[in-house]
Amino acid sequence: MKIENIKTFGELKQSGYVSKGIKSELRDNLKKSIQSGKSAFEGIHGFENTVIPELERAILSRHNINLLGLRGQAKTRLARLMVGLLDEWIPFVKGSEINDDPFHPISRFAKDLIAEKGDDTPIEWLHRDERFFEKLATPDVTVADLIGDIDPIKAANLKLSYADDRVLHFGMIPRANRCIFVINELPDLQARIQVALFNILQEGDIQIRGFKLRMPLDMQFVFTANPEDYTNRGSIVTPLKDRIGSQILTHYPENITIARTITEQEAKLDKRQSELVYVPALAKDILEQIAFEARESEYIDPKSGVSARMSITAFENLLSTAERRALMNGEEQTTVRLTDFMGIIPSITGKVELVYEGEQEGAAFVAQTLIGQAVKTLFENYFPKIEKLNHPNAVDPYQEITDWFFNESGFELTDDSTTAIYNSIIDEIAPLNNFIEKYQPTSLVEDRRFLKEFLLWGLVEHKKLSKERYAEGTMFKDLYGNYISKF
């Protein structure tokens, strides 16, 4: 007989079921997970040696937890994954608003029902997927929302006095009894509302409109907060911080490899789009490097952070830019180009907080600057380093390329040109072909043209060539040719 088929308290006793608190559930199941070598937090990357060990220690210690970190650092994702550490099913008294444990009832309804029916008390089963509650802390949240209030309609219908505790309507927290309860952006919760959580976290009391109810709620609290909130928008009051067992600091991916893994996992792409558009590995690296550049940029407020969601939406936009071009040209397959990165600018401008200097320059300028800086940073991983000052007798490996632009007066790449036209334009520059053969001989054939364009962009960033952006595309020229032609 499946345990969830048990329907009465008496049958539950006979089955040998042992009741335990939610923190013990989490602890016991985490112990099994650790012993088996299986991660309880699948899909979280880059936290294996930092955040996850601290989170596991907090769960083993039966602590309430505060996840502190900038936006887009998987704080809520971590909290939701904790559901997988709960038992699959737990019994509760049928009809209970607060998921009363039949062995340890805490509400008046459950106590009265068990006293009346004993072993015949009906029970139901709650699946772990239904044991996760989440509340975004906003300034309009009230104590009544979280804890509860007197319900005058219930008092009228039941013909009860306001002095009778049966007229109480329970708020979100009591209704989440025996569940994981997450409050996101805790500092945004008004201080007087935070005070209402003191007893719940420490003593288990709740007070509603003068009713002091001894209700030892069985809950796992997880809070999330942003470090800037401590000074800018609000703060976590000190006695509340004192009652939270573990505060765990999250962080952004530490390298491009981890960032790429996250982006590819989270990007929402359909099969047609992923099959239609080929993305060179270098293009993926540039995309992630943009976020790293943004976190160090003088134009962007470091306190607000740069969310991993920026890279995810930028990746989606990058593929959509190439897909749109292929659809316009009636092509069944295409490859991402560096000029396609102009299509990710809307994904950047809406996700970064600019400082005064950035506002003065404009969001679009900042976005284009970040793309250029990403190219410049990765350039040395593929091609010889360009020194700011060359030795008089030093050989410049890029001389043949710059000479070609000086003699040919440059060329242009339109954003929506067909693959055939794009290939013919980029391939006609013989020095590029020779350069790639010399310095990237093992590169994939399908990546070669992207590498050539990347080489041109890198030379622009290092002031070896010039680049002009116009409505339909991009023009590459010799750095000084424009000035010479004027005289």
Side-chain angles (χ1 to χ4, degrees):
M1 182 180 183
K2 289 185 177 180
I3 194 170
E4 61 267 27
N5 292 332
I6 294 172
K7 299 299 181 185
T8 67
F9 189 22
E11 292 175 358
L12 185 64
K13 290 178 180 177
Q14 292 173 6
S15 73
Y17 178 86
V18 177
S19 175
K20 56 186 174 182
I22 185 171
K23 287 185 169 69
S24 294
E25 275 184 64
L26 292 166
R27 173 184 162 81
D28 292 348
N29 291 325
L30 177 60
K31 285 168 61 179
K32 294 175 185 176
S33 176
I34 293 173
Q35 289 168 345
S36 68
K38 182 181 178 182
S39 174
F41 299 95
E42 291 289 341
I44 299 294
H45 305 283
F47 287 174
E48 294 83 358
N49 300 314
T50 52
V51 177
I52 289 177
E54 292 186 357
L55 184 56
E56 289 177 341
R57 286 192 284 269
I59 294 171
L60 291 173
S61 300
R62 298 186 177 91
H63 285 173
N64 291 312
I65 299 163
N66 182 28
L67 296 171
L68 183 67
L70 296 171
R71 57 185 176 178
Q73 292 186 351
K75 299 186 293 295
T76 305
R77 172 72 65 87
L78 284 169
R80 288 175 178 168
L81 287 173
M82 287 175 62
V83 171
L85 291 173
L86 296 172
D87 291 344
E88 186 175 8
W89 298 94
I90 60 166
F92 68 97
V93 176
K94 185 175 182 179
S96 168
E97 294 180 88
I98 60 171
N99 306 316
D100 276 284
D101 183 346
F103 291 98
H104 306 289
I106 58 175
S107 73
R108 178 165 175 174
F109 166 83
K111 289 177 180 177
D112 290 349
L113 187 62
I114 292 173
E116 176 188 345
K117 296 194 173 183
D119 287 351
D120 293 329
T121 302
I123 65 169
E124 289 185 330
W125 293 85
L126 189 66
H127 193 266
R128 62 183 165 214
D129 290 344
E130 298 176 329
R131 298 175 64 193
F132 181 86
F133 286 73
E134 187 177 355
K135 178 62 180 173
L136 176 63
T138 54
D140 62 336
V141 173
T142 65
V143 173
D145 294 333
L146 294 179
I147 312 299
D149 205 346
I150 291 174
D151 186 344
I153 297 176
K154 184 184 287 188
N157 289 340
L158 298 176
K159 298 180 180 179
L160 297 172
S161 163
Y162 283 178
D164 193 311
D165 62 9
R166 286 174 293 178
V167 304
L168 296 177
H169 171 77
F170 293 116
M172 291 185 69
I173 290 177
R175 289 177 181 276
N177 183 39
R178 305 174 73 196
C179 299
I180 297 171
F181 192 88
V182 178
I183 297 182
N184 283 317
E185 308 301 339
L186 180 61
D188 284 348
L189 206 62
Q190 294 183 50
R192 64 184 180 85
I193 311 300
Q194 293 183 36
V195 169
L197 300 175
F198 289 179
N199 278 21
I200 295 173
L201 288 175
Q202 194 68 37
E203 290 83 16
D205 292 348
I206 63 171
Q207 296 183 27
I208 302 175
R209 294 289 186 181
F211 288 97
K212 183 176 180 180
L213 308 173
R214 183 63 184 170
M215 295 182 69
L217 297 172
D218 178 25
M219 302 181 68
Q220 172 67 55
F221 280 97
V222 180
F223 305 100
T224 72
N226 189 312
E228 68 160 323
D229 293 337
Y230 285 104
T231 55
N232 288 0
R233 296 205 302 262
S235 63
I236 302 176
V237 297
T238 303
L240 182 57
K241 283 194 284 186
D242 184 54
R243 286 167 166 79
I244 299 172
S246 291
Q247 178 168 280
I248 298 170
L249 302 180
T250 59
H251 56 82
Y252 287 121
E254 295 175 347
N255 57 59
I256 285 180
T257 303
I258 294 172
R260 269 182 59 175
T261 301
I262 295 170
T263 298
E264 291 172 11
Q265 173 182 285
E266 300 298 322
K268 296 176 181 176
L269 309 174
D270 60 39
K271 185 178 179 181
R272 177 182 58 83
Q273 190 176 37
S274 57
E275 290 178 350
L276 172 67
V277 182
Y278 172 73
V279 187
L282 175 55
K284 296 178 181 179
D285 287 349
I286 294 172
L287 189 78
E288 301 302 338
Q289 185 63 35
I290 291 169
F292 284 84
E293 299 292 341
R295 290 170 191 141
E296 301 295 328
S297 174
E298 61 183 350
Y299 295 125
I300 294 171
D301 185 358
K303 292 181 180 178
S304 68
V306 178
S307 169
R309 285 183 283 269
M310 187 186 83
S311 297
I312 295 165
T313 55
F315 185 58
E316 293 166 347
N317 254 352
L318 181 64
L319 268 71
S320 295
T321 303
E323 180 188 24
R324 177 179 177 274
R325 182 182 63 250
L327 294 172
M328 290 173 62
N329 294 326
E331 297 176 336
E332 295 182 357
Q333 202 163 28
T334 190
T335 299
V336 163
R337 306 170 188 171
L338 241 173
T339 48
D340 292 335
F341 275 75
M342 295 299 101
I344 74 170
I345 289 176
S347 298
I348 300 174
T349 55
K351 287 187 167 56
V352 294
E353 297 291 334
L354 303 179
V355 296
Y356 177 77
E357 292 81 359
E359 295 286 358
Q360 293 297 102
E361 295 289 354
F365 171 84
V366 171
Q368 292 182 48
T369 300
L370 294 176
I371 295 170
Q373 288 173 338
V375 170
K376 187 175 183 179
T377 299
L378 295 178
F379 188 81
E380 291 179 14
N381 296 346
Y382 292 82
F383 303 117
K385 184 177 181 180
I386 299 177
E387 301 290 348
K388 290 184 178 179
L389 294 174
N390 287 326
H391 189 276
N393 298 322
V395 177
D396 183 0
Y398 301 98
Q399 189 65 48
E400 189 180 359
I401 298 174
T402 54
D403 286 347
W404 186 93
F405 277 88
F406 182 81
N407 295 324
E408 299 295 332
S409 72
F411 76 102
E412 63 181 76
L413 291 175
T414 55
D415 294 344
D416 297 327
S417 61
T418 65
T419 299
I421 293 174
Y422 172 82
N423 291 350
S424 65
I425 292 174
I426 206 89
D427 287 343
E428 75 177 16
I429 309 174
L432 288 183
N433 301 328
N434 300 335
F435 199 90
I436 297 297
E437 284 294 338
K438 182 176 181 178
Y439 292 102
Q440 287 294 324
T442 60
S443 60
L444 297 175
V445 174
E446 53 268 34
D447 290 2
R448 293 287 179 96
R449 293 185 180 93
F450 188 88
L451 273 169
K452 293 176 186 178
E453 197 178 350
F454 172 70
L455 174 56
L456 293 178
W457 281 60
L459 291 176
V460 169
E461 292 301 320
H462 284 91
K463 304 295 188 292
K464 290 279 188 178
L465 295 176
S466 66
K467 175 170 63 72
E468 292 182 15
R469 179 70 188 167
Y470 60 100
E472 289 80 22
T474 304
M475 177 169 284
F476 294 89
K477 296 181 179 180
D478 172 67
L479 187 61
Y480 304 107
N482 287 343
Y483 298 103
I484 295 173
S485 63
K486 292 179 181 178
F487 299 96

